[in-house]
């Protein structure tokens, strides 16, 4: 038997069956790509020996956990089975529901592909499962041999955005370009439609759907007038980011049409203020920087909660992005064409290198034929190995901590997978609200209910259809996209006086959520004495803004509910609904 020197624990041999099931879990984890925004990708396979009895995957932020879906499908077959998860469970229910489900189902073993990269989840589920006397084996720690290499690589790859974000404190960034066989991305005239084939362009649309944002420079806007959409009906739409120091951009451009997707223009402080105002009137978001650099923009994207960013810029922007180490991966479509031209542009500008020995080498390079083109991809910076900083398996899990950057008396939350993500209106907690007819209606999340209320009581087919679509979709993100899109495209369908009642609508939904889930009310009460801040840097109404300039109404409502909890029942943290008006 082989022993791990560090922990003096026996290492278990990983069989080809284990490896196959883990590869399947990683494959499942990737199934939501393009449908919802990037999020921690989780897949679960329940197996008895070589036989798979159930599967599940996390669909999006604020949806039911992969483990819970798989266990519900497995039913009684889960007892005595082995669960294979590509990522250590780390849901945002606030009650360790995935771990509890695995324990209650009676699984005998859990095989984990990766410990969770996020510090507030890392090691917690593994310790809890082991404390419940369930055997837990982690690839690369407890399971060691050649069989695990492919499976471990698949687990790392499917959550590369999360690993890079946690290790580098910026989103995982991919540089994409298409070039001819002689290395040109356009003719000397600037004409570039099209370098690659239709099949390759379809793959680009898929890459956009996997990204939180797509970045281009001012030259691309002026020369190509791109749309940067995914060309798919429904599904996730990435933000379109334009970097321009001078803001010498066209008055009319496809990217200024925000009905096709949200556009953010990032620029130097004070640049072309009149043009900024014209963009703002069109619904384009403008963000100013003291120094506009690729690193500064990526740090801003990190603050917005982005996991993955796709760069589709020309050489003038790709070069400084590479130099500043914000590009982690490159995907290049090489077309079997020769265009020539001394002045025809290439994909990467001057990097200041004068010898071939200075060239940047890619790792884990892959080749794939896409129609007539060749797709070459590889990593400029290897996927981060967080193993050295992951606590040993006997270490206790870290408790939820206050945001150090905000000060000792401020608790920040934003994404549903944050330490206090259970406070988010996107958290996966269904609520029951009384409808206009007096019946209770179950909504999949607070955000589902909130978006539907924009059109409540409006006697119009489109408004009523929108409400039904919001009810039917699985993720809060989809509910928000449906509601916001109709509100933007047909504002006349929004109910009267919505702006004056929306705070009360959110309050009632949040109050219902914390009354239905005792563990949430206990968590909220535990923050007594702290200021709660919804940390969205761009939502200046519900969030606190980038520098505290936001109104933070979501945080205010939570503190109001917390005060009511303490007033009604200081000992248990439960709302005494009988002493207050009913939730409607």
């Amino acid at each position: 038997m082989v022993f791990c020197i560090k922990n003096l624990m026996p290492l278990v041999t990983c069989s080809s069956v284990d490896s196959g099931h883990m590869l399947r879990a990683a494959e499942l984890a990737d199934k939501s790509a393009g449908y919802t925004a990037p999020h921690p990708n989780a897949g679960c396979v329940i197996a008895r020996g070589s036989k798979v009895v159930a599967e599940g995957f996390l669909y999006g932020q604020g949806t039911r956990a992969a483990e819970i879906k798989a266990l519900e499908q497995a039913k009684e077959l889960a007892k005595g089975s082995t669960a294979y998860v590509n990522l250590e469970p780390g849901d945002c229910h606030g009650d360790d529901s995935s771990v509890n489900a695995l324990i209650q189902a009676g699984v005998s073993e859990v095989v984990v592909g990766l410990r969770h990269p996020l510090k507030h989840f890392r090691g917690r589920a593994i310790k809890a499962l082991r404390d419940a006397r369930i055997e837990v084996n982690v690839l690369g720690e407890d399971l060691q041999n050649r069989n695990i290499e492919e499976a471990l690589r698949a687990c790392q790859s499917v959550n590369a955005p999360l690993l890079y974000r946690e290790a580098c404190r910026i989103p995982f960034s991919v540089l994409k370009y298409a070039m001819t066989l002689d290395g040109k991305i356009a003719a000397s005239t600037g004409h570039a439609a099209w370098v690659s084939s239709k099949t390759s362009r379809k793959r680009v649309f898929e890459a956009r759907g996997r990204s939180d944002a797509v970045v281009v420079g001012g030259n691309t806007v002026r020369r190509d007038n791109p749309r940067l959409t995914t060309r798919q009906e429904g599904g996730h739409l990435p933000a379109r980011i334009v970097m321009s120091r001078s803001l010498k951009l066209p008055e009319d451009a496809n990217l200024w049409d925000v009905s096709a997707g949200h556009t953010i223009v990032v620029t130097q402080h004070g640049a072309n203020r009149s043009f900024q105002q014209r963009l703002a009137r069109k619904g384009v978001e403008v963000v100013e920087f003291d120094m506009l650099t690729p690193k500064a923009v990526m740090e801003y994207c990190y603050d917005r909660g982005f996991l993955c960013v796709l760069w589709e810029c020309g050489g003038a922007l790709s070069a400084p992005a590479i130099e500043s180490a914000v590009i982690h991966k490159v995907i290049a479509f090489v077309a079997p064409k020769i265009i020539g031209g001394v002045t025809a542009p290439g994909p990467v500008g001057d990097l200041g290198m004068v010898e071939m020995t200075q060239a940047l080498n890619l790792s884990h390079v892959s080749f794939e034929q896409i129609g007539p083109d060749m797709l070459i991809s590889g990593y400029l910076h290897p996927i981060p190995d967080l193993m050295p900083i992951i606590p040993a398996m006997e270490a206790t899990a870290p408790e939820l901590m206050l945001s150090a950057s905000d000060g000792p008396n401020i608790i920040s939350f934003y994404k549903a997978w944050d330490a206090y993500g259970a406070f988010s209106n996107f958290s996966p907690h269904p609520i029951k609200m009384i409808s206009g007819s007096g019946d209770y209606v179950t909504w999949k999340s607070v955000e589902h209910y909130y978006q539907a209320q924009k059109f409540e009581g409006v006697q119009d087919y489109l408004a009523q259809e929108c409400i039904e679509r919001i009810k039917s979709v699985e993720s809060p993100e989809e509910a928000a996209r449906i509601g916001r899109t109709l509100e933007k495209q047909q504002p006349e369908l929004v109910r009267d006086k919505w702006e004056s009642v929306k705070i009360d609508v959110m309050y009632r939904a949040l109050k219902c959520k914390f009354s239905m889930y005792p563990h949430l009310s206990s968590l909220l009460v535990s923050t007594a004495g702290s200021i709660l801040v919804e940390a969205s840097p761009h939502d200046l109404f519900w969030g606190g803004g980038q520098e505290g300039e936001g109104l933070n109404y979501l945080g205010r409502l939570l503190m109001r509910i917390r005060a009511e909890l303490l007033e009604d029942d200081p000992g248990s943290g439960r709302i005494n609904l009988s002493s207050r008006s009913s939730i409607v």
Side-chain angles (χ1 to χ4, degrees), residues 186-250:
S188 54
T189 60
H191 187 265
W194 296 101
V195 172
S196 60
S197 66
K198 186 175 182 179
T199 308
S200 292
R201 297 198 297 276
K202 183 179 179 183
R203 182 67 69 90
V204 173
F205 300 150
E206 293 173 2
R208 290 174 185 169
R210 291 173 171 271
S211 307
D212 288 291
V214 181
V215 178
V216 295
N219 286 338
T220 300
V221 176
R222 288 185 288 267
R223 184 185 65 231
D224 298 340
N225 192 22
R227 287 185 171 83
L228 303 181
T229 60
T230 59
R231 307 290 204 278
Q232 66 177 1
E233 190 68 31
H236 169 62
L237 290 174
R240 291 94 53 92
I241 298 178
V242 179
M243 288 184 64
S244 173
R245 284 194 178 93
S246 65
L247 278 193
K248 293 178 180 177
L249 300 171

Side-chain angles (χ1 to χ4, degrees), residues 397-416:
E399 298 298 323
L400 297 180
M401 296 180 293
L402 304 185
S403 172
S405 62
D406 289 330
N409 296 316
I410 295 177
I411 293 177
S412 298
F413 64 95
Y414 182 24
K415 293 292 187 179

Side-chain angles (χ1 to χ4, degrees), residues 29-86:
D30 198 42
K31 276 187 169 291
S32 64
Y35 295 99
T36 56
H39 56 270
N41 290 319
C44 178
V45 171
I46 307 295
R48 302 179 72 89
S50 61
K51 183 180 179 182
V52 174
V53 298
E55 299 178 335
F57 65 93
L58 180 68
Y59 180 68
Q61 177 188 193
T63 60
R64 296 166 70 242
E67 298 82 5
I68 293 175
K69 289 181 178 179
L71 291 168
E72 287 180 354
Q73 185 185 125
K75 298 179 180 176
E76 66 276 0
L77 292 176
K79 187 174 181 63
S81 67
T82 299
Y84 296 83
V85 292
N86 67 294

